[in-house]
Amino acid sequence: MSESARLLLSINTGSSSVKLGVYRDGAPPAEVTPIAADTTLDAFLEMLVSTGQAGSVVGVGHRLVHGGPKYRQPCRIDPAVRGDLEKIVPLAPNHLPQALAAIDRVARQFPAWPQVACFDTAFHRTLPARARTLPLGPQVANADVMRYGFHGLSYEFLVESLR
């Protein structure tokens, strides 16, 4: 790898797997397959260190299943965002804890790497109120329970690819 190569890491944590990708100077990653293992991210980060590539990382993008009512656009993860995401774990308890653990793991070992959250619910952010509202009464809607729409990052990719 050349000294000038810049690497962008992609981390997609699911409920029982993680997909990792490396974009080199903006080029798409090679095929990335899901791996179900608690130590996968640790091994990946160790590989970047042992091969001397860690210094070329310019950022980390995380796919998060949910941004709640507040986060609808990609955003840089700082302590305030991290705290807000912790509060909405009940909205996606099978996915957000793993994503937050990956964010924390990267932040501990590489605190200078900027991390960005990309929310799977963002594609559907423009749903009109009547489409977001579930027929469960105002007390439920006031508790941030609404139709958010999921798999939006995949839909966005498909729409852009078909243009």
Side-chain angles (χ1 to χ4, degrees):
M1 179 178 75
S2 72
E3 288 291 321
S4 63
R6 296 176 306 153
L7 303 179
L8 179 64
L9 308 183
S10 169
I11 301 176
N12 179 349
T13 52
S15 60
S16 62
S17 67
V18 62
K19 294 179 187 176
L20 304 165
V22 178
Y23 291 78
R24 186 179 311 277
D25 290 328
E31 181 68 23
V32 179
T33 56
I35 305 168
D38 293 338
T39 59
T40 303
L41 180 58
D42 290 336
F44 179 69
L45 295 174
E46 246 340 282
M47 180 273 305
L48 291 171
V49 171
S50 68
T51 60
Q53 297 179 81
S56 298
V57 173
V58 297
V60 182
H62 293 268
R63 175 227 162 240
L64 275 78
V65 70
H66 218 302
K70 185 172 182 178
Y71 296 102
R72 297 181 179 191
Q73 299 289 335
C75 66
R76 180 126 181 216
I77 301 168
D78 61 20
V81 170
R82 171 61 179 82
D84 289 343
L85 294 172
E86 185 73 41
K87 292 174 188 171
I88 63 167
V89 164
L91 294 175
N94 292 328
H95 292 83
L96 280 177
Q98 293 86 323
L100 294 174
I103 290 166
D104 294 345
R105 174 65 182 92
V106 170
R108 273 193 308 276
Q109 186 167 354
F110 301 100
W113 287 359
Q115 298 190 74
V116 174
C118 300
F119 302 102
D120 221 13
T121 51
F123 180 78
H124 305 283
R125 69 190 170 277
T126 58
L127 285 172
R130 69 180 177 278
R132 284 192 316 268
T133 304
L134 296 170
L136 300 173
Q139 67 276 21
V140 174
N142 291 338
D144 296 329
V145 176
M146 66 181 85
R147 185 174 290 119
Y148 286 92
F150 294 100
H151 304 287
L153 295 174
S154 295
Y155 295 143
E156 185 173 7
F157 173 79
L158 290 171
V159 168
E160 290 300 318
S161 295
L162 294 172
R163 267 183 221 239

